[in-house]
Amino acid sequence: MINSRPDDATLLADETKYCSFGDTVHYVEPPKIFDGCEGSYMYDKEGKAFLDLQMWYSACNFGYANERLNNVLKKQIDTLPQCASQYLHPTKIELAKTIAQGMEKRFGYEGRVHFNVGGSQCIEDSLKLVRNASGGKSLMFAFQGGYHGRTLGASSITSSYRYRRRYGHFGDRAMFVPFPYPFRRPKGMTAEEYGEHLVAEFARLFETEYHGVWDPKVGQAEYAAFYAEPLQATGGYIVPPRNYFKGLKKVLDQYGILLVVDEIQMGFYRTGKLWSIEHFDVKPDVVVFAKALTNGLNPLGGLWAREELINPQVFPVGSTHSTFASNPLGTAVGLEVLKMTSETDYEKMVMDSGAYFLEGLKTLEKKHKEIGEVDGLGLALRAEICTEDGFTANKALVDKMVDIGMSGDLDWKGTKMGLVLDIGGYYKNVITFAPSLHISRQEIDQGIELLDQLITRAKKEL
């Protein structure tokens, strides 16, 4: 791993002078510079290993430097590395067919696939699609705690005001409704009762015109679609009650509102299903995906929509466009990802590994009263870090844990190493775990041991 690049101090000084800070996030100071990666690990210039339990926000579901996927990319570079998007190439068509046929098998709808270059851009395309399908309605429902990207359109349906604050008035800002957060539900309710309660509260919006969303005289809603992450990602990997989405979809169907499912972070077997919405027994109208489609090797994403929403008569040529959409490097890798996942029972593999990881987290929960809750679905896992009361959010402790993990001086059998974590949640106190789907039992054990060291040290150092 050792190379002759400029030292870290020089690079960081150059970053301070020449790089926009607007396109990155500095979680620790100074920011960490990495030089290599493989499997579940990142490596710095000295070759020190950092076990990564967030895998580029779930973009690298199949491990860093996955040999099979890398080789497909290399082969494509030597055959057809570029192709203008007004022309066709085989893997675009094959990938779209594979995804569309899979959707029809899972949800029973014929549909089509539309590509673009990343999650936010695909959200933008979906907004055009549903506006067009609804006769130009520009208002959407979305969830409190939801995150759909930081382009202007995506920011309008992302609940955090801080992503909009400096960019003027957003007249098309979504109406944000509560997402079921079982750990913080009202006392006296089961999780299922809580889900039913929130569905009923949403349905009340349509009882009278004076709630501002429905005109009963013409039977028409002002809102075109509801944007939903089945598990909130940035919101803290919250797993809703299993009955919630079924109830929500019933209301949406009753009032002619489309369900757009954002699978950008939770898709491609992160939760043990190809699409996380499959856990909840509902049929989406639109599915948006990106990230792990190419295992982080190419910024390719896309959307699938039901035929009546996206056929060429209603969504014709030129409805939206990107120079690099459906580029052959990305579609070749994406097709190989789907071939690879069809050859191995990823559902069983991920659910088994997730259950093993969750048991390890539960042992830490019993040991440290500051861990208020651990939960998860597949290998999308969470640990809510609290004060000693086990409930009050403790951002300071989480921040200290991240700092210690990135310092690279944790001990693993006499060797110094680091731990890469991601933090989310409404109060920025939730560790969200998205390890490689290929993570081994030994690596999970290592992660649990390092987490134990982290929280023990962090409590002492605060």
Side-chain angles (χ1 to χ4, degrees), residues 59-136:
C60 296
N61 282 5
F62 308 101
Y64 289 120
N66 182 294
E67 184 177 11
R68 175 171 175 173
L69 300 179
N70 285 6
N71 285 339
V72 168
L73 182 64
K74 293 171 186 176
K75 180 180 178 181
Q76 190 65 36
I77 287 174
D78 290 333
T79 52
L80 182 67
Q82 295 111 341
C83 183
S85 54
Q86 66 262 42
Y87 309 120
L88 294 173
H89 53 88
T91 54
K92 172 191 175 176
I93 300 167
E94 293 177 75
L95 179 57
K97 177 182 177 181
T98 301
I99 294 171
Q101 287 183 337
M103 293 293 191
E104 186 172 358
K105 180 179 178 180
R106 287 171 171 82
F107 303 124
Y109 295 137
E110 291 186 357
R112 297 172 186 255
V113 174
H114 174 102
F115 293 109
N116 210 319
V117 295
S120 293
Q121 289 78 6
C122 296
I123 289 289
E124 294 284 332
D125 286 354
S126 74
L127 286 166
K128 283 188 173 181
L129 184 88
V130 298
R131 284 187 178 203
N132 179 67
S134 64

Side-chain angles (χ1 to χ4, degrees), residues 9 19-21 57 77 87 164 166 176 226 264 267-268 398:
C19 293
S20 165
F21 284 16
Y57 313 112
I77 287 174
Y87 309 120
R164 294 186 296 276
R166 293 175 292 118
F176 298 107
F226 198 126
I264 292 168
F268 301 101
V398 167

Side-chain angles (χ1 to χ4, degrees), residues 37-43 52 55 60 62-66 436 443:
C37 60
E38 184 176 11
S40 294
Y41 298 91
M42 300 288 290
Y43 297 92
D52 194 336
M55 299 306 290
C60 296
F62 308 101
Y64 289 120
N66 182 294
S436 167
E443 289 168 342

Side-chain angles (χ1 to χ4, degrees), residues 81-207:
Q82 295 111 341
C83 183
S85 54
Q86 66 262 42
Y87 309 120
L88 294 173
H89 53 88
T91 54
K92 172 191 175 176
I93 300 167
E94 293 177 75
L95 179 57
K97 177 182 177 181
T98 301
I99 294 171
Q101 287 183 337
M103 293 293 191
E104 186 172 358
K105 180 179 178 180
R106 287 171 171 82
F107 303 124
Y109 295 137
E110 291 186 357
R112 297 172 186 255
V113 174
H114 174 102
F115 293 109
N116 210 319
V117 295
S120 293
Q121 289 78 6
C122 296
I123 289 289
E124 294 284 332
D125 286 354
S126 74
L127 286 166
K128 283 188 173 181
L129 184 88
V130 298
R131 284 187 178 203
N132 179 67
S134 64
K137 292 180 184 177
S138 60
L139 295 181
M140 311 294 159
F141 289 109
F143 281 120
Q144 295 172 10
Y147 178 87
H148 302 286
R150 301 195 200 188
T151 53
L152 287 174
S155 295
S156 74
I157 58 172
T158 292
S159 68
S160 299
Y161 171 51
R162 69 185 179 94
Y163 298 135
R164 294 186 296 276
R165 180 179 56 82
R166 293 175 292 118
Y167 305 113
H169 177 65
F170 283 67
D172 295 326
R173 197 200 78 166
M175 177 183 286
F176 298 107
V177 302
F179 188 84
Y181 191 163
F183 179 64
R184 298 188 179 277
R185 68 183 181 269
K187 292 182 179 180
M189 283 187 181
T190 67
E192 289 71 25
E193 289 170 341
Y194 176 44
E196 291 172 358
H197 169 73
L198 290 180
V199 169
E201 286 296 298
F202 179 68
R204 284 190 66 248
L205 293 175
F206 301 89
E207 286 181 354

Side-chain angles (χ1 to χ4, degrees), residues 287-350:
V287 176
V288 185
F289 51 86
K291 287 188 184 292
L293 173 62
T294 63
N295 203 41
L297 293 173
N298 183 280
L300 179 70
L303 65 88
W304 167 89
R306 292 191 288 110
E307 176 71 8
E308 54 265 43
L309 305 175
I310 200 173
N311 72 71
Q313 285 69 49
V314 299
F315 203 64
V317 170
S319 293
T320 184
H321 175 76
S322 171
T323 299
F324 295 96
S326 68
N327 71 85
L329 298 178
T331 56
V333 177
L335 185 61
E336 193 68 19
V337 163
L338 292 181
K339 287 179 180 177
M340 185 176 72
T341 55
S342 71
E343 295 166 4
T344 298
D345 190 347
Y346 269 80
E347 181 170 343
K348 184 178 188 310
M349 181 178 79
V350 171

Side-chain angles (χ1 to χ4, degrees), residues 120 223 235 326 396 402 442:
S120 293
Y223 290 75
S326 68
V402 171
Q442 292 78 14

